[in-house]
Amino acid sequence: MSADPVHAISALTEQLTRLPGIRTASELFAGHPPYAVDAPLRPLFQRGGLPRGEILAITGEHSFSLALAACAAATREQLWCAVLGMGEPAVAGIADFGIDLSHFVNLRTPLQDWLRVTSILVESFDILIVRPGFAPTPGDRQRLLAKVRERRMTLITLDEFPGTGERLGVRDVRWEGTARGAGRLEQCTVTVHGSRTGTHTLLLPAPSGRAEHPAPMPGAEHSVPAVGVAHPGGPVPRIHSVD
Amino acid sequence: MSVHRTVVLAVPDWPAVAAGIAHGLSTAAPAAVLRAGRIISCNAPARASGVETGLNKRAAQLRCPELTVIPWDPEVDHRVFAAGIGVLEDLVARFTLLSPGVVSIPALSLRRTHASEESAVEELLTGLTDSTGWEFFPGIADTAFAALLASRTATRVPPGRTAAFLAPLPISSLTAVDAHAYAELVPLLGRLGLTALGRFAQLAEADVHARFGTLGRRAHRLARGLPDRIPADHVRAREFRVHSPLDPPSGRSDVLSFHARTLGAELLGTVRAAGLVCTQVDIELTATTGETCRRTWRLEDMDESMIADRLRWQAEGWLAAGGAGTGADSRGGPRTRGARPDRTARTARPDRTARAVPENGEDPGPDPTLVSGEDGICAIGLAAAELLSPLGTQQSLFDQHPGRIAHTLERLQGLFGPDAVLVPGLQGGRDPAETNLWTPWQQRPRPERDPEAPGRARCRLPAPRSSSTPRWICSTSAAPRSSPAPPDSTTSRRCSGSPARGRCAWSTTPRPGRWRPAGGTGARPSTGCASRSSPRTGPPTC
């Protein structure tokens, strides 16, 4: 006669509960809702928001802007966001992304101490944007990941970071608004490749300063190959997956 | 009598009067205060010559050539008024400083000591004018808002007639309470045809709340002559300041910390004995060379060990930056230190100049050549910069773990110095670097330029704006790096006076080489010219 099935399940539950970062067994299945992001950025993430308990890598030329735009909605919900290793960001630009400045902190610590500072900040902040000063050893990486998972916060690195969950790469950056010798830069179209969600195109920043869906352009199919977008064959990609 | 019945005493054109006093002008000399290129206040002699608010400087001086035009300084407004209003503490039991130049007194508190409101006002005005020489206009009504408007015409509104008094007044009167908050609501109401407070007051409260939110509801209550909230009483001006000489002078952090702890305990003890809570503390260090370093720290739940920590950080940063102990080049104060041409705009800020902030994101650490063991700090002083009643320090129930955040950031400040943790703010300026106002955590921001000035970035720089501050690197030939040069001399953000100026490293803003004509078919430019002008090519939008 085997053990009582109810008893076996409760033993399993207890065992799971003892794992670091898992407080109740149901948490394992239900998970935590991701942190909210602005509507145009939702398709970029697998669960429609910033994944919690994971390291998210954003790479490419426009990565800092994308990271700021992604955490804007969360700071407006009174969550705290810290930036590490970015020197002196421009406050006006940060405010344009919709970030609540009273929940935003910039850290100017020596680059070689980034891992130490990050491990302190992980304890209390909800979102961290970090430019690593050096590549950590695999052991450090595992410890950091375990801490992030336990705290259920989001760590965004602006560099390649092995072992990350989602990865977003900003591939193509195209500024618009200048004609030949006239006008000024008004918006920027970027192509973002998500490791789990495919390729998306969005305006970052749009004329308002925030991230937005690109406007449908009549005759865009013809202009696309001419300026050499990453997708020479198809029409202009407007938030659709090409997986 | 209503609890909210209020007597308001207001000095008309207070900024001009205060600026005249601060600059030592006689009361008969015309003076005007300029803010953001416009006259915002002018005194009676200037008005007699035809000067009005809203003129620019040149137009005002055309009308009155002997006019003294003084830039607006809110500090002066507050300081001069606080100095003069001390006499009111002997005259009445309770009063509130609504804004510089305006005091409100609850009428209830005058009831027992004076026969009628008129005689009370008469007596107060006599006492105030005798001691200060300023001309006060009185106003009495059932609410502070109505009394403030009544003081413009020196009116006493009888009890119960406040709504009728307010009804014919223009809707723009709401800006008398808070010009900033109602700046958008007032023109909107005007466009809807609600030009008088009475018309606005006739609307149903629920409808106003649904359409205009909390702010609209507050405005509606004000317009109906209903009390808004009881203003905070004036805390009796009493200086809480402790001072202690260090003999022998010392630069050692353990010695400083020990003294600061005793001194902090003394300060907090006297503050507590007065039934108050100190939320901001001024720490002043005096070096043997006579230079001083002063910072204001904002601390929640302050105790003496927190004060000692802040004092130690401040002293370490100051000594490391060579603020004290370099007797050879004593320049008599932090302000002149910042005026050196090779310093950045950031270090030219008064009172925060003691530490040269490196611009390249790396802390060079203390320079051993600049700190000498013999010299050091010879006196420390603490002053309570902001005092509140204990109820005023209550935290919001809905903040997300602010204590834990504060704890983490304090720990980082302890490890890397107070300037390692910065919170953002905006100030006036014409490029991203100028509009940045990064203030160390728990310190009071001190904007160099008025954030409301028309030259601020929101108007000048059209969106989209860069999310990183561009950095300019000076040509090293203009500022040769010799051994005693400050660590930031070659990487400062901008060097005025340096003729050769190249640009590098916009991290997220466009580089000229990456520009493409919109919809154009031309081939991409192969190389970008790094020294081309910044991408602000469009005309200013305002």
Side-chain angles (χ1 to χ4, degrees):
Chain A
M1 180 89 185
S2 65
D4 186 11
V6 177
H7 179 73
I9 288 174
S10 73
L12 180 68
T13 311
E14 204 181 315
Q15 206 177 348
L16 283 171
T17 314
R18 260 187 262 127
L19 287 175
I22 299 169
R23 293 179 188 105
T24 60
S26 60
E27 231 177 56
L28 196 65
F29 308 108
H32 281 253
Y35 289 136
V37 295
D38 288 328
L41 295 171
R42 256 174 233 155
L44 263 60
F45 300 98
Q46 192 184 22
R47 295 181 61 199
L50 281 175
R52 296 175 62 176
E54 274 188 31
I55 298 180
L56 166 71
I58 301 182
T59 53
E61 194 179 359
H62 231 50
S63 54
F64 186 44
S65 295
L66 183 58
L68 287 174
C71 65
T75 58
R76 288 199 303 273
E77 291 178 6
Q78 313 292 305
L79 298 172
W80 281 80
C81 173
V83 165
L84 175 62
M86 291 306 299
E88 188 182 353
V91 182
I94 293 174
D96 277 351
F97 282 120
I99 288 182
D100 177 12
L101 292 183
S102 60
H103 287 84
F104 187 87
V105 180
N106 178 37
L107 288 129
R108 198 157 51 178
T109 48
L111 277 182
Q112 62 270 20
D113 285 327
W114 80 268
L115 200 60
R116 190 172 161 214
V117 177
T118 305
S119 63
I120 294 174
L121 289 174
V122 162
E123 295 289 341
S124 54
F125 275 79
D126 304 296
I127 300 170
L128 262 182
I129 301 175
V130 175
R131 168 156 290 170
F134 59 87
T137 61
D140 287 339
R141 219 161 48 212
Q142 286 305 320
R143 272 195 290 278
L144 186 62
L145 190 58
K147 223 167 179 178
V148 168
R149 198 182 296 133
E150 188 179 345
R151 273 276 304 129
R152 300 256 170 222
M153 53 86 67
T154 302
L155 178 67
I156 302 176
T157 67
L158 302 181
D159 214 343
E160 289 294 344
F161 202 86
T164 52
E166 294 201 48
R167 280 196 304 277
L168 298 177
V170 183
R171 293 281 171 78
D172 188 68
V173 178
R174 194 181 53 193
W175 283 92
E176 284 158 20
T178 51
R180 292 185 181 278
R184 62 173 180 84
L185 297 181
E186 276 168 0
Q187 60 182 24
C188 182
T189 313
V190 296
T191 309
V192 182
H193 179 78
S195 63
R196 293 177 186 170
T197 54
T199 307
H200 309 272
T201 305
L202 71 156
L203 295 178
L204 184 82
S208 66
R210 296 196 177 200
E212 278 177 21
H213 291 290
M217 266 190 297
E221 298 84 22
H222 310 294
S223 71
V224 168
V227 291
V229 181
H231 308 271
V236 169
R238 293 183 44 219
I239 313 289
H240 69 270
S241 300
V242 203
D243 261 0
Chain B
M1 193 194 286
S2 154
V3 182
H4 297 278
R5 190 158 175 84
T6 309
V7 179
V8 163
L9 304 175
V11 186
D13 302 322
W14 175 251
V17 173
I21 293 166
H23 284 74
L25 303 178
S26 82
T27 46
V33 171
L34 192 75
R35 184 190 187 194
R38 298 277 161 191
I39 303 283
I40 57 160
S41 171
C42 50
N43 63 5
R47 274 185 201 281
S49 311
V51 179
E52 294 167 358
T53 57
L55 294 179
N56 64 13
K57 185 178 175 183
R58 182 175 290 197
Q61 284 177 333
L62 182 72
R63 295 184 182 189
C64 177
E66 64 275 16
L67 180 74
T68 312
V69 179
I70 303 160
W72 184 61
D73 185 356
E75 292 268 328
V76 167
D77 281 9
H78 283 278
R79 201 178 58 224
V80 175
F81 195 64
I85 211 66
V87 67
L88 204 57
E89 293 181 355
D90 301 331
L91 295 176
V92 292
R94 290 163 54 201
F95 68 97
T96 305
L97 299 180
L98 289 182
S99 64
V102 183
V103 277
S104 74
I105 304 159
L108 212 59
S109 71
L110 302 172
R111 207 170 148 205
R112 285 172 184 275
T113 49
H114 299 85
S116 66
E117 285 175 349
E118 286 87 348
S119 66
V121 164
E122 201 63 45
E123 199 167 310
L124 287 176
L125 287 182
T126 313
L128 279 172
T129 312
D130 282 353
S131 62
T132 60
W134 307 330
E135 186 189 12
F136 282 87
F137 276 42
I140 309 176
D142 283 350
T143 64
F145 171 65
L148 183 63
L149 296 181
S151 76
R152 292 178 172 181
T153 50
T155 311
R156 174 183 177 268
V157 181
R161 299 292 313 280
T162 300
F165 165 75
L166 289 173
L169 294 178
I171 198 81
S172 59
S173 312
L174 284 172
T175 52
V177 190
D178 190 343
H180 189 70
Y182 293 109
E184 287 182 7
L185 183 65
V186 165
L188 176 63
L189 293 175
R191 286 199 299 277
L192 291 172
L194 302 166
T195 49
L197 287 175
R199 302 280 300 279
F200 183 45
Q202 282 166 8
L203 302 179
E205 185 173 4
D207 292 347
V208 171
H209 192 190
R211 172 67 180 78
F212 301 108
T214 320
L215 188 72
R217 186 156 166 246
R218 261 194 74 196
H220 191 243
R221 283 184 70 81
L222 292 178
R224 284 191 297 162
L226 296 179
D228 183 30
R229 56 186 167 193
I230 298 177
D233 267 354
H234 171 71
V235 175
R236 297 281 153 159
R238 196 181 132 194
E239 206 162 67
F240 293 98
R241 183 181 289 277
V242 287
H243 192 265
S244 150
L246 286 184
D247 194 26
S250 169
R252 286 180 48 172
S253 55
D254 53 342
V255 176
L256 288 173
S257 204
F258 179 74
H259 281 274
R261 191 176 286 266
T262 355
L263 212 55
E266 190 185 324
L267 176 76
L268 294 179
T270 50
V271 168
R272 247 176 244 135
L276 296 171
V277 174
C278 177
T279 48
Q280 290 189 26
V281 65
D282 260 342
I283 300 182
E284 186 170 355
L285 307 170
T286 311
T288 45
T289 52
E291 292 175 33
T292 58
C293 166
R294 184 180 203 166
R295 285 192 183 194
T296 308
W297 297 87
R298 183 181 182 85
L299 303 170
E300 305 287 338
D301 308 327
M302 193 182 297
D303 62 11
E304 54 264 27
S305 58
M306 288 168 82
I307 294 178
D309 279 347
R310 303 305 181 283
L311 189 138
R312 183 165 53 81
W313 298 346
Q314 186 178 334
E316 280 171 0
W318 191 39
L319 291 173
T326 51
D329 62 345
S330 165
R331 290 178 204 83
R335 189 170 208 125
T336 46
R337 279 180 58 80
R340 282 164 61 175
D342 57 351
R343 294 271 165 174
T344 62
R346 186 191 174 94
T347 50
R349 190 175 298 170
D351 289 348
R352 289 202 36 217
T353 60
R355 178 163 190 193
V357 181
E359 295 299 318
N360 53 359
E362 290 168 352
D363 196 335
D367 187 344
T369 58
L370 293 177
V371 182
S372 64
E374 298 301 316
D375 297 318
I377 288 156
C378 67
I380 55 180
L382 304 175
E386 187 186 77
L387 294 166
L388 290 177
S389 60
L391 262 182
T393 60
Q394 293 288 312
Q395 289 180 353
S396 166
L397 196 60
F398 302 103
D399 279 354
Q400 294 244 356
H401 47 254
R404 217 157 65 180
I405 296 285
H407 198 78
T408 306
L409 295 179
E410 273 166 35
R411 191 171 156 207
L412 285 169
Q413 279 188 322
L415 285 170
F416 298 101
D419 291 331
V421 181
L422 303 167
V423 284
L426 280 169
Q427 61 179 355
R430 289 182 173 78
D431 65 31
E434 276 187 355
T435 54
N436 281 352
L437 177 65
W438 289 104
T439 316
W441 173 256
Q442 284 177 339
Q443 286 191 27
R444 196 168 50 169
R446 295 173 185 274
E448 282 174 75
R449 290 170 292 274
D450 189 351
E452 299 298 322
R456 66 184 179 146
R458 201 163 287 281
C459 293
R460 287 285 166 181
L461 273 185
R465 291 174 284 180
S466 62
S467 54
S468 293
T469 305
R471 286 150 191 271
W472 285 282
I473 290 195
C474 300
S475 92
T476 44
S477 61
R481 185 170 196 170
S482 55
S483 52
D488 55 342
S489 69
T490 52
T491 51
S492 58
R493 195 187 307 131
R494 166 179 299 170
C495 284
S496 55
S498 152
R501 194 165 87 186
R503 207 194 72 218
C504 73
W506 290 70
S507 72
T508 52
T509 44
R511 293 177 199 150
R514 301 297 300 264
W515 289 8
R516 265 174 247 161
T521 55
R524 191 170 136 185
S526 57
T527 54
C529 174
S531 61
R532 218 178 282 171
S533 64
S534 74
R536 256 189 296 132
T537 52
T541 51
C542 71

